[in-house]
Amino acid sequence: MNMMRSAMISAAVSFVVACSTAAGQPQTIEDGVYTVEQAETGKPLFEQRCSACHNADFYHGTLSNRNNQPLAYLFEEILVTMPADMPGSLMDAEYEAILAHILQLTGFPAGDTPLDYASGSMHTVNIVPPKD
C-alpha cells in the first residue's frame, strides 16, 4: 500500500515539475493574453460602463503602479468595485472583455487565448507598465 502511495506521489510531483517546465517563465501582459475578439466585445461595454470616469491615461497609471502584480489582482479589484454605482453587476465574461479592451487600449498585443479568470490563468500573468 505504501509503495502504491509513493508511486502516486512521485507521479504527481513529476507532473507538477513537467507542467512548471513547460510553462516556463510567468507570462506578462506583453505576451498576448487576450484576443482581438474579446477586446472588441469589451469596447462597447467599456464605453457604456467605464469611459465616463476612466480613459487610457488612467489605465497607463494603474498598470504602471501594479508592476509585477498578477493580472488577477487587477481583475478582482475591478470585479468588486466597478462600476462604482453597481459593483459586481456584470458577468465575469463581461469584466474579462472589458479588461481585454483596457489592455488593447493601453497598447498591449492580443494573442490566441482569451482572458479567463475561472481557469486561474490570470494568476500566472504579471502586469508590466505600458510603453510610453
Side-chain angles (χ1 to χ4, degrees):
M1 184 90 158
N2 283 338
M3 195 162 195
M4 180 184 225
R5 185 173 179 194
S6 293
M8 289 173 54
I9 291 171
S10 178
V13 169
S14 295
F15 176 75
V16 169
V17 170
C19 288
S20 297
T21 303
Q25 296 292 326
Q27 285 186 297
T28 73
I29 55 177
E30 291 179 326
D31 295 323
V33 297
Y34 68 92
T35 64
V36 169
E37 295 80 14
Q38 191 176 35
E40 288 174 357
T41 299
K43 184 177 180 177
L45 292 166
F46 177 86
E47 289 172 354
Q48 293 168 353
R49 307 298 296 240
C50 312
S51 66
C53 299
H54 307 297
N55 60 24
D57 289 338
F58 172 82
Y59 287 107
H60 272 89
T62 297
L63 294 171
S64 293
N65 292 333
R66 295 171 184 275
N67 193 24
N68 288 320
Q69 288 183 1
L71 186 59
Y73 293 5
L74 177 59
F75 179 82
E76 291 165 351
E77 183 176 328
I78 292 169
L79 179 74
V80 299
T81 63
M82 295 291 132
D85 61 340
M86 293 179 61
S89 61
L90 304 176
M91 303 295 292
D92 282 2
E94 293 173 308
Y95 284 110
E96 291 161 352
I98 289 169
L99 185 52
H101 176 68
I102 290 166
L103 293 175
Q104 184 180 61
L105 185 67
T106 52
F108 291 98
D112 298 327
T113 306
L115 285 174
D116 179 18
Y117 180 73
S119 73
S121 61
M122 284 191 213
H123 288 282
T124 63
V125 174
N126 289 336
I127 295 172
V128 295
K131 305 233 185 310
D132 291 329

Short mmCIF file of all heavy atoms in Angstrom, two decimals, residues 2 8 16 30 48 53-54 56 59 61 64 80 83 97 111 113 126 132:
data_model
loop_
_atom_site.label_atom_id
_atom_site.label_comp_id
_atom_site.label_asym_id
_atom_site.label_seq_id
_atom_site.Cartn_x
_atom_site.Cartn_y
_atom_site.Cartn_z
N ASN A 2 1.91 1.29 0.86
CA ASN A 2 2.79 2.44 0.91
C ASN A 2 3.54 2.61 -0.40
O ASN A 2 3.81 3.73 -0.82
CB ASN A 2 3.79 2.31 2.06
CG ASN A 2 3.15 2.63 3.40
OD1 ASN A 2 2.13 3.31 3.43
ND2 ASN A 2 3.72 2.14 4.47
N MET A 8 2.24 7.06 -6.55
CA MET A 8 1.27 8.10 -6.91
C MET A 8 1.83 9.49 -6.61
O MET A 8 1.68 10.42 -7.40
CB MET A 8 -0.05 7.87 -6.18
CG MET A 8 -0.81 6.66 -6.69
SD MET A 8 -2.28 6.23 -5.72
CE MET A 8 -3.19 7.74 -5.70
N VAL A 16 3.73 17.90 -11.86
CA VAL A 16 3.86 19.32 -11.49
C VAL A 16 5.15 19.90 -12.06
O VAL A 16 5.17 20.99 -12.62
CB VAL A 16 3.78 19.52 -9.96
CG1 VAL A 16 4.19 20.92 -9.55
CG2 VAL A 16 2.39 19.19 -9.47
N GLU A 30 2.44 41.59 -21.88
CA GLU A 30 3.06 41.82 -23.19
C GLU A 30 3.01 40.57 -24.07
O GLU A 30 3.35 40.62 -25.24
CB GLU A 30 4.51 42.25 -23.03
CG GLU A 30 4.68 43.62 -22.44
CD GLU A 30 6.13 44.03 -22.25
OE1 GLU A 30 6.97 43.15 -21.95
OE2 GLU A 30 6.40 45.23 -22.41
N GLN A 48 -19.84 52.15 -22.36
CA GLN A 48 -21.09 52.34 -21.61
C GLN A 48 -20.85 52.43 -20.11
O GLN A 48 -21.52 53.21 -19.42
CB GLN A 48 -22.05 51.18 -21.88
CG GLN A 48 -22.57 51.11 -23.27
CD GLN A 48 -23.28 49.77 -23.52
OE1 GLN A 48 -23.26 48.86 -22.70
NE2 GLN A 48 -23.88 49.65 -24.69
N CYS A 53 -15.58 57.77 -16.48
CA CYS A 53 -14.65 58.06 -15.38
C CYS A 53 -13.21 57.67 -15.69
O CYS A 53 -12.29 58.19 -15.06
CB CYS A 53 -15.08 57.31 -14.12
SG CYS A 53 -16.71 57.76 -13.52
N HIS A 54 -13.00 56.75 -16.61
CA HIS A 54 -11.67 56.21 -16.86
C HIS A 54 -11.32 56.29 -18.35
O HIS A 54 -12.13 55.94 -19.19
CB HIS A 54 -11.59 54.74 -16.43
CG HIS A 54 -12.03 54.51 -15.02
ND1 HIS A 54 -11.39 55.04 -13.93
CD2 HIS A 54 -13.06 53.79 -14.51
CE1 HIS A 54 -12.00 54.66 -12.83
NE2 HIS A 54 -13.03 53.91 -13.14
N ALA A 56 -7.62 56.06 -21.25
CA ALA A 56 -6.34 55.36 -21.44
C ALA A 56 -5.27 55.87 -20.48
O ALA A 56 -4.49 55.07 -19.94
CB ALA A 56 -5.88 55.49 -22.89
N TYR A 59 -5.56 54.23 -17.12
CA TYR A 59 -5.08 52.84 -17.10
C TYR A 59 -3.58 52.73 -17.29
O TYR A 59 -2.96 51.80 -16.78
CB TYR A 59 -5.85 51.99 -18.10
CG TYR A 59 -7.25 51.74 -17.59
CD1 TYR A 59 -8.34 52.38 -18.16
CD2 TYR A 59 -7.46 50.92 -16.50
CE1 TYR A 59 -9.61 52.18 -17.66
CE2 TYR A 59 -8.74 50.72 -15.98
CZ TYR A 59 -9.80 51.35 -16.58
OH TYR A 59 -11.06 51.16 -16.07
N GLY A 61 -1.49 54.72 -15.85
CA GLY A 61 -1.05 54.89 -14.47
C GLY A 61 -1.36 53.69 -13.61
O GLY A 61 -0.53 53.23 -12.81
N SER A 64 1.02 50.90 -14.53
CA SER A 64 2.38 51.24 -14.09
C SER A 64 2.54 51.04 -12.59
O SER A 64 3.59 50.59 -12.12
CB SER A 64 2.72 52.68 -14.46
OG SER A 64 2.78 52.81 -15.86
N VAL A 80 -14.98 43.73 -7.91
CA VAL A 80 -15.68 44.07 -6.66
C VAL A 80 -15.92 45.56 -6.46
O VAL A 80 -16.65 45.93 -5.53
CB VAL A 80 -14.97 43.47 -5.42
CG1 VAL A 80 -14.91 41.96 -5.50
CG2 VAL A 80 -13.60 44.06 -5.22
N PRO A 83 -18.88 48.60 -11.89
CA PRO A 83 -18.95 50.06 -11.93
C PRO A 83 -19.29 50.61 -10.54
O PRO A 83 -19.91 49.93 -9.73
CB PRO A 83 -20.04 50.36 -12.94
CG PRO A 83 -20.79 49.10 -13.15
CD PRO A 83 -19.94 47.97 -12.67
N ALA A 97 -13.88 40.82 -20.86
CA ALA A 97 -13.86 41.54 -22.13
C ALA A 97 -13.45 43.00 -21.93
O ALA A 97 -12.69 43.56 -22.72
CB ALA A 97 -15.22 41.45 -22.81
N GLY A 111 -3.48 38.02 -28.40
CA GLY A 111 -2.95 36.69 -28.67
C GLY A 111 -4.04 35.77 -29.14
O GLY A 111 -5.07 36.21 -29.67
N THR A 113 -5.50 33.29 -27.07
CA THR A 113 -6.30 32.76 -25.97
C THR A 113 -6.96 33.91 -25.22
O THR A 113 -6.29 34.86 -24.83
CB THR A 113 -5.41 31.96 -25.00
OG1 THR A 113 -4.70 30.97 -25.73
CG2 THR A 113 -6.23 31.30 -23.92
N ASN A 126 1.73 38.41 -15.22
CA ASN A 126 2.11 39.60 -14.46
C ASN A 126 1.90 40.87 -15.26
O ASN A 126 2.06 40.90 -16.48
CB ASN A 126 3.59 39.51 -14.04
CG ASN A 126 3.81 38.46 -12.98
OD1 ASN A 126 2.89 38.11 -12.22
ND2 ASN A 126 5.01 37.95 -12.88
N ASP A 132 5.64 54.01 -23.20
CA ASP A 132 5.19 55.39 -23.48
C ASP A 132 5.16 55.70 -24.92
O ASP A 132 5.57 55.16 -25.80
CB ASP A 132 6.09 56.39 -22.75
CG ASP A 132 5.88 56.30 -21.24
OD1 ASP A 132 4.78 55.99 -20.81
OD2 ASP A 132 6.86 56.53 -20.52
#
